[in-house]
Amino acid sequence: MGLLVQNKQMSFSDTLSLGFMTFAFFLGAGNLIFPPFAGMLAGENMPLAMMGFLVTAVGLPLVGLIAVAKTQGKVMAYLPAVAATALAVAIYIIIGPAFAAPRTGLVAFEIGAKPFLGDTSAVWMLGNISLNVAQLLFTLGFFIVTMLLALFPGKLMDSVGKVLTPVLMVLLVALAVSVILLPGGETAAPQGDYAESPLIKGVIEGYNTMDTLASLMFGMLIIDLLRKKGVDDPKAQTHALVRAAIIAASGLAFVYISLFFLGATAGDIAVGADNGGQILTRYVDREFGTLGAAMLATVVSLACLTTAVGLVSACSDYFNELFPRIKYRQFVILFSAICALVANVGLAQLISISIPVLVSIYPVVIALVAVTFLTERMPNPALGHRLVLAVALLFGAIDGLKAAGVDMSLVDFMPLYAEGMAWLLPTLATMVICLFIGNRQAEAA
């Protein structure tokens, strides 16, 4: 999406354009599947669960973008080079071939293909592994197209994105109005963790969007884009990025709130659903008929495709810089093949597998964003950043192991351990301590 810059200043229309582009970056179609399912499970506790979800799915990405703007893209500057690279690699793998990119193919299958295929229960046995034939064929085709578009990037993806984002927004607005005027049924009793601690469960559910991880990469991308468009002044870049972040966060909040209401009031249409994509498709089919379901399927599938191409391309670019002897196109082929392989785990299973990883890595990224705003108050910023992130990593790993089903009874005395947030208080305490220890030193290593 082009930005017109006059005298290196951002006009109102430029800022609005940048904000909608940032919104489009975050609104991968996969984000549409989590709020309806969480809303369904939360039932009568939906308001608290939704508040928690908005903290990590909207608030933290917003703060992440602001942190990137504040540091001029150097949010990891106080970390040792090896640690910064390791964290960046972990983020790229998570939002790329391990979870987010394969998920785009699965969401496209669930919303864009499965409702129109009839019986999709046929399986193909590969040794002891059971593969769904329809899902296998669809995801193979999906990631072959992804690979070809990533191999030969051009203006096609930009053009498709410019058309898709407005159409998707119109559909989502229509959906939001429909949810308010035509609720599917009464809210039910909350299930599972949503009955005991809906707020914290909502916070952890928001991890699934992976948008806080992506905000660090998107922020750097937007700053680079602003520089290319002639906005070189750091203050002007910061102001532009903060305003764009607020516009994007407002759009995301609107979408998530309406989808939470959809899930909570889904009624009978949610019976038997094991992911939010099924709830969304059934609701649209009932309220808007076959034409509405077909429009949703088409737009979501294309949005998933553009997201997949963007993720594969970004990961390939980054790893090509790390390992220049391996060509960009070789990485594209490798990551596309991995995505096709991982996608055949299945959507519900992939989400389940990703939770322990996200529970482990999210505390580190949240701590990195938070400590960025305390840097100027720390006597020794380098020491402060490293200590805070080390503590977040240690206790985040404990939460991750617990989420993976490992027996962690030796440490179950820790505050918030049962809720899956044992990292929070130790990390906050370390931040406070780092405001008072160490001598003011020169800039970070």
Side-chain angles (χ1 to χ4, degrees):
M1 187 176 292
L3 300 174
L4 300 177
V5 182
Q6 297 179 348
N7 299 322
K8 299 183 180 181
Q9 296 295 319
M10 295 286 289
S11 68
F12 175 76
S13 60
D14 297 332
T15 303
L16 199 61
S17 177
L18 183 65
F20 279 115
M21 183 187 72
T22 306
F23 170 76
F25 279 165
F26 282 110
L27 191 68
N31 294 13
L32 303 179
I33 67 176
F34 297 111
F37 197 62
M40 180 198 74
L41 293 176
E44 295 171 350
N45 287 342
M46 183 270 292
L48 280 175
M50 182 173 67
M51 286 174 57
F53 186 90
L54 293 177
V55 167
T56 44
V58 177
L60 284 177
L62 169 62
V63 176
L65 286 175
I66 294 173
V68 173
K70 185 177 184 296
T71 59
Q72 288 299 295
K74 299 177 181 178
V75 73
M76 300 182 191
Y78 286 101
L79 298 180
V82 173
T85 301
L87 181 57
V89 166
I91 292 173
Y92 272 109
I93 289 175
I94 290 169
I95 67 173
F99 299 116
R103 192 173 70 193
T104 60
L106 287 169
V107 172
F109 175 70
E110 286 285 349
I111 297 178
K114 194 174 180 179
F116 308 98
L117 294 178
D119 183 14
T120 58
S121 60
V123 297
W124 176 41
M125 297 304 298
L126 183 63
N128 294 325
I129 302 174
S130 174
L131 297 172
N132 182 286
V133 175
Q135 179 179 280
L136 174 64
L137 294 176
F138 181 90
T139 51
L140 281 175
F142 182 91
F143 285 108
I144 286 173
V145 174
T146 297
M147 179 184 70
L148 293 174
L149 290 173
L151 282 173
F152 305 101
K155 294 184 178 180
L156 173 64
M157 296 307 296
D158 290 336
S159 301
V160 171
K162 287 178 183 179
V163 174
L164 276 180
T165 301
V167 174
L168 185 58
M169 277 305 300
V170 169
L171 287 177
L172 290 172
V173 170
L175 183 66
V177 173
S178 172
V179 167
I180 295 170
L181 299 179
L182 302 168
E186 298 295 325
T187 54
Q191 304 176 39
D193 291 339
Y194 287 103
E196 300 297 328
S197 49
L199 181 65
I200 292 179
K201 178 61 177 174
V203 167
I204 295 176
E205 185 69 19
Y207 290 177
N208 282 319
T209 66
M210 306 186 197
D211 282 345
T212 304
L213 308 184
S215 69
L216 302 184
M217 305 308 162
F218 289 159
M220 291 183 235
L221 180 66
I222 294 168
I223 285 179
D224 186 54
L225 176 63
L226 289 170
R227 286 172 181 154
K228 289 179 180 177
K229 296 297 182 179
V231 183
D232 296 318
D233 180 56
K235 289 186 178 179
Q237 291 175 357
T238 300
H239 290 158
L241 185 49
V242 168
R243 289 168 184 165
I246 292 172
I247 293 171
S250 301
L252 288 173
F254 168 79
V255 171
Y256 291 151
I257 290 170
S258 63
L259 291 176
F260 256 92
F261 274 98
L262 186 156
T265 60
D268 293 340
I269 64 173
V271 174
D274 63 2
N275 64 72
Q278 295 173 356
I279 298 173
L280 179 59
T281 301
R282 293 173 189 177
Y283 181 85
V284 171
D285 184 51
R286 191 185 73 176
E287 301 298 339
F288 299 97
T290 304
L291 178 61
M295 285 186 62
L296 178 71
T298 301
V299 173
V300 168
S301 296
L302 289 173
C304 284
L305 182 62
T306 58
T307 301
V309 173
L311 292 174
V312 169
S313 298
C315 289
S316 299
D317 271 331
Y318 178 74
F319 282 96
N320 175 237
E321 290 178 6
L322 273 186
F323 306 103
R325 291 186 179 181
I326 304 176
K327 297 179 179 178
Y328 164 82
R329 290 186 173 181
Q330 292 174 320
F331 275 119
V332 167
I333 295 170
L334 173 64
F335 289 144
S336 298
I338 293 173
C339 287
L341 180 66
V342 173
N344 282 281
V345 169
L347 184 56
Q349 292 82 1
L350 183 61
I351 292 170
S352 177
I353 293 170
S354 69
I355 289 174
V357 178
L358 294 176
V359 168
S360 299
I361 195 70
Y362 247 82
V364 180
V365 177
I366 294 171
L368 175 62
V369 170
V371 80
T372 297
F373 294 93
L374 300 175
T375 299
E376 295 172 358
R377 298 179 179 273
M378 289 181 170
N380 189 328
L383 176 64
H385 279 239
R386 295 171 190 188
L387 279 179
V388 170
L389 265 62
V391 170
L393 177 61
L394 173 63
F395 287 92
I398 291 173
D399 287 327
L401 290 171
K402 173 178 174 287
V406 177
D407 181 10
M408 302 296 291
S409 55
L410 287 175
V411 294
D412 62 5
F413 60 88
M414 292 189 298
L416 298 179
Y417 167 83
E419 290 80 5
M421 298 187 72
W423 65 273
L424 183 58
L425 295 181
T427 305
L428 288 174
T430 306
M431 286 185 194
V432 173
I433 291 170
C434 288
L435 294 175
F436 302 98
I437 64 171
N439 298 317
R440 173 66 65 179
Q441 294 181 352
E443 289 304 296

